[in-house]
Amino acid sequence: MEKENTFPSLVGSFKDRFNLFFEKRNREELKKYFSDVITACLGDTPIGVFLFDSEVKTIRPFVEHAHPVKREDFITISVEVKKFLTEGKEEPHQFEEWTLIPFKRGTNYKGFVMAHQVLSESEIQLVQLLIQIWFQANNQLELKENNEKLAEDLGRNLHNLSVVRSIAQLVSKAQDIEHLLGLILKVAVTTVNASKGLLFLENEESKTLELIRTEGVSDRELSENKKLSISEYIVDGIHEKVIASEEPILLNDVIDPASSLQGWNSLISVMCVPLVMKNNVFGVIYLSTKEQTPPFDHEDLNVLSILSSHASAVLDQARLYTMASTDELTGLYTRRYYIQRIGDEYKRCTRYKRHLSMIVVDIDFFKKVNDTYGHHTGDIVLKEVANLIKQAIRVDIDTAVRFGGEEFVVILPETHLRGAWQVAERIRKWVEEASFECGEDKIKSTVSLGISAYPENGAAIEDLFNMSDSALYRSKKAGRNQITAIPSL
Ligand code: GH3
Ligand code: MG
């Protein structure tokens, strides 16, 4: 009786309930709401909603712990239910005190609603209607979740893209390949959240892989392992497979070789990708996780592969760039590089009021060396003088350039005129003292030098080269094998 009265009012509020189906935030919430509404609509009838679980070939509750159908009851009728299922009944079905209603839409047969009551036709229709609404709302949520996943993937791709872009930018900033390799490895490690990164390159002569850069490897570990071959860093020699197949590899739950060296076995996840240039594998990037950190997945492998292919291209470019910026005979920077570089130095000095000195060096009577001993011998002298200049300056701070035939320029940042004089004097003295051995001959040579410094020269920074060059001219005029400074010291 009571049910008769409440039923129409429930139907009356059905519109509101219908709308609420479409306001659920996720599928769990929707499930729960569906169960609640069916229970409310059917009054005090115990209801259970069960889904087929094709994986374990059984049925499971639609909402965990939320089905008032008791387990005993379920067992009692389970034989009937099985029959209902195996016969694939698609129509609502009445058992003695039970009603089973297929939970389906079209061919999408998910399970059934079970009520511990013989339901009326209109009640069954109401349940069927609710099932259809659930399917609609569920589809909508699925779409929303897919969209969110798409957005997330897109976000990740954009992130990858920005990684790729940052790699591309590195080439213009990196001063040399070594530095660039370090940056590439760093980007790889941070992008996929690796704990350790190793970069190996092939030694062109020995054709073996050499450890070039590491990231996240302690000095202690390195000094202990320095002499170890690649197979002792890398799980199961997977780099060989990577090199042979030119395909990246991802392995989970493998024993960390570093830990087994220490006498225990920790399980980690590793990735190894090839660096390929013109169909030639010239190195590998190897990354690993720490025990108890999340393992790598295929998305990580994808990211790393994209990164490594760009890194390869960038390295190739960097190689060309280095070739263009390095003089073949002397190994000093080229004039082309100087032109590119000096503008930045000038800017830095004026902007931050920094000191900058310049030395111009020219070999004395070099024409005579060529004329007397031949061009080849001249080349050897040039090379040796360049070596002396290189040794006389600070690594990574000063820049030595072969400016022309037998003329060199040295840029000395953060250096006063007095400091530049000391470097110039070192070069002058070392060349004067050196004997260049060319076969039977021992050749002596000297250099003349001109120096100038900013801001001591009292002129614009752009005049630095011209002032150093005029200083050199004065050294030549005054008899060679000497230094002239502008302003004079
Ligand atoms: P000064 O003391 O006035 O500088 O006299 P110099 O003979 O050194 O100067 P000059 O400019 O008359 O001659 C420079 C010579 O350097 C001429 C050129 O053939 C030679 N030279 C330039 N580049 C090279 C090179 O790459 N190898 C060799 N062997 N000689 C070169
Ligand atoms: Mg000369």
Side-chain angles (χ1 to χ4, degrees):
M1 243 343 250
E2 203 187 331
K3 209 168 118 191
E4 292 286 292
N5 290 337
T6 53
F7 189 40
S9 72
L10 276 169
V11 176
S13 66
F14 189 74
K15 246 174 126 181
D16 301 335
R17 289 177 187 274
F18 175 87
N19 287 335
L20 282 173
F21 266 92
F22 293 90
E23 283 168 21
K24 300 300 159 210
R25 278 170 305 178
N26 57 49
R27 286 194 268 173
E28 276 316 302
E29 247 184 58
L30 178 66
K31 270 185 187 178
K32 172 106 186 30
Y33 185 67
F34 174 78
S35 268
D36 290 350
V37 170
I38 285 205
T39 308
C41 286
L42 301 182
D44 50 9
T45 309
I47 298 285
V49 184
F50 296 91
L51 299 183
F52 307 138
D53 197 326
S54 54
E55 264 177 46
V56 278
K57 298 212 168 13
T58 181
I59 52 173
R60 60 187 163 80
F62 184 60
V63 184
E64 284 303 331
H65 313 299
H67 50 105
V69 172
K70 291 196 208 83
R71 191 173 156 73
E72 303 89 87
D73 292 338
F74 185 68
I75 289 166
T76 317
I77 64 145
S78 61
V79 181
E80 296 296 328
V81 169
K82 270 199 191 123
K83 241 162 78 192
F84 180 76
L85 297 181
T86 48
E87 288 168 15
K89 294 220 163 90
E90 301 219 345
E91 294 307 314
H93 202 76
Q94 305 275 11
F95 300 102
E96 294 153 16
E97 299 174 310
W98 298 86
T99 308
L100 291 183
I101 304 164
F103 195 100
K104 70 184 275 281
R105 185 191 208 193
T107 52
N108 194 352
Y109 199 165
K110 280 185 163 311
F112 53 90
V113 173
M114 197 171 103
H116 197 180
Q117 175 113 36
V118 175
L119 297 181
S120 69
E121 191 60 30
S122 57
E123 283 172 323
I124 289 176
Q125 277 174 9
L126 178 64
V127 172
Q128 285 177 321
L129 182 62
L130 288 172
I131 290 172
Q132 298 314 304
I133 294 169
W134 176 87
F135 268 103
Q136 271 185 27
N138 192 60
N139 278 354
Q140 188 177 299
L141 277 174
E142 251 174 26
L143 267 176
K144 190 176 134 215
E145 281 168 22
N146 280 344
N147 279 344
E148 279 166 4
K149 197 171 169 310
L150 264 176
E152 198 182 290
D153 286 352
L154 192 68
R156 210 180 291 161
N157 284 338
L158 284 175
H159 171 68
N160 293 350
L161 203 66
S162 75
V163 166
V164 166
R165 224 180 265 138
S166 67
I167 285 236
Q169 280 165 1
L170 292 180
V171 73
S172 54
K173 289 194 188 129
Q175 288 171 9
D176 54 56
I177 291 188
E178 287 278 301
H179 187 54
L180 187 65
L181 289 171
L183 288 172
I184 285 172
L185 188 62
K186 199 167 266 178
V187 171
V189 164
T190 44
T191 309
V192 298
N193 242 333
S195 305
K196 221 183 259 185
L198 305 170
L199 193 148
F200 296 88
L201 289 187
E202 191 179 65
N203 180 315
E204 281 180 18
E205 280 164 30
S206 66
K207 296 283 167 208
T208 55
L209 288 178
E210 284 176 357
L211 181 60
I212 302 292
R213 285 272 162 178
T214 63
E215 196 58 43
V217 179
S218 69
D219 290 345
R220 188 184 56 81
E221 226 177 315
L222 257 189
S223 60
E224 278 172 9
N225 291 348
K226 209 177 262 170
K227 293 177 203 77
L228 298 182
S229 69
I230 186 167
S231 54
E232 278 155 290
Y233 287 108
I234 288 195
V235 170
D236 292 338
I238 59 168
H239 64 292
E240 281 164 6
K241 286 178 209 149
V242 168
I243 288 172
S245 64
E246 297 185 14
E247 293 289 334
I249 290 183
L250 161 67
L251 289 177
N252 280 329
D253 292 331
V254 287
I255 293 171
D256 182 4
S259 75
S260 66
L261 283 174
Q262 311 287 328
W264 73 83
N265 291 334
S266 54
L267 292 181
I268 54 164
S269 171
V270 300
M271 290 194 286
C272 189
V273 296
L275 294 167
V276 188
M277 209 140 66
K278 299 186 183 77
N279 293 328
N280 227 344
V281 182
F282 67 96
V284 296
I285 295 180
Y286 176 87
L287 301 181
S288 63
T289 60
K290 255 205 293 263
E291 196 172 33
Q292 268 143 16
T293 55
F296 297 130
D297 59 21
H298 282 276
E299 183 61 36
D300 294 326
L301 194 66
N302 264 343
V303 171
L304 188 61
S305 301
I306 294 170
L307 214 145
S308 81
S309 67
H310 284 271
S312 302
V314 165
L315 282 174
D316 198 22
Q317 255 178 285
R319 205 173 46 87
L320 292 173
Y321 174 76
T322 308
M323 269 161 55
S325 64
T326 313
D327 173 55
E328 220 179 330
L329 179 69
T330 61
L332 299 185
Y333 284 107
T334 54
R335 185 181 189 140
R336 190 170 145 179
Y337 174 83
Y338 166 89
I339 291 164
Q340 233 180 44
R341 172 79 188 273
I342 197 71
D344 290 346
E345 286 293 338
Y346 284 173
K347 246 186 248 156
R348 200 177 58 83
C349 281
T350 39
R351 189 172 303 157
Y352 304 109
K353 308 257 174 299
R354 313 303 302 185
H355 287 266
L356 183 73
S357 291
M358 190 177 278
I359 309 176
V360 183
V361 187
D362 187 283
I363 303 178
D364 298 327
F365 304 121
F366 188 62
K367 197 168 174 305
K368 224 158 137 189
V369 176
N370 272 333
D371 291 348
T372 316
Y373 303 98
H375 209 79
H376 175 68
T377 305
D379 279 0
I380 294 172
V381 173
L382 257 173
K383 214 163 145 177
E384 293 294 320
V385 170
N387 271 339
L388 292 174
I389 294 173
K390 235 186 280 179
Q391 284 165 39
I393 64 174
R394 297 167 298 180
V395 180
D396 287 344
I397 300 173
D398 301 329
T399 305
V401 180
R402 184 179 178 199
F403 205 75
E406 25 80 78
E407 187 177 3
F408 306 94
V409 171
V410 183
I411 308 167
L412 306 142
E414 308 293 339
T415 308
H416 298 248
L417 193 58
R418 200 170 285 280
W421 182 281
Q422 284 170 2
V423 178
E425 176 55 18
R426 206 180 301 151
I427 295 170
R428 191 203 63 77
K429 198 159 158 264
W430 284 358
V431 175
E432 185 183 38
E433 288 169 355
S435 325
F436 307 108
E437 293 189 17
C438 303
E440 307 267 289
D441 303 314
K442 279 196 174 145
I443 301 162
K444 298 293 286 179
S445 188
T446 56
V447 290
S448 297
L449 306 97
I451 59 176
S452 188
Y454 174 87
E456 289 117 304
N457 59 4
I461 186 99
E462 288 77 10
D463 292 331
L464 195 59
F465 174 78
N466 285 339
M467 290 172 108
S468 311
D469 202 39
S470 353
L472 166 70
Y473 180 72
R474 285 188 213 170
S475 292
K476 290 276 183 192
K477 272 196 104 176
R480 297 181 170 82
N481 190 22
Q482 58 191 278
I483 309 164
T484 307
I486 295 179
S488 52
L489 275 168

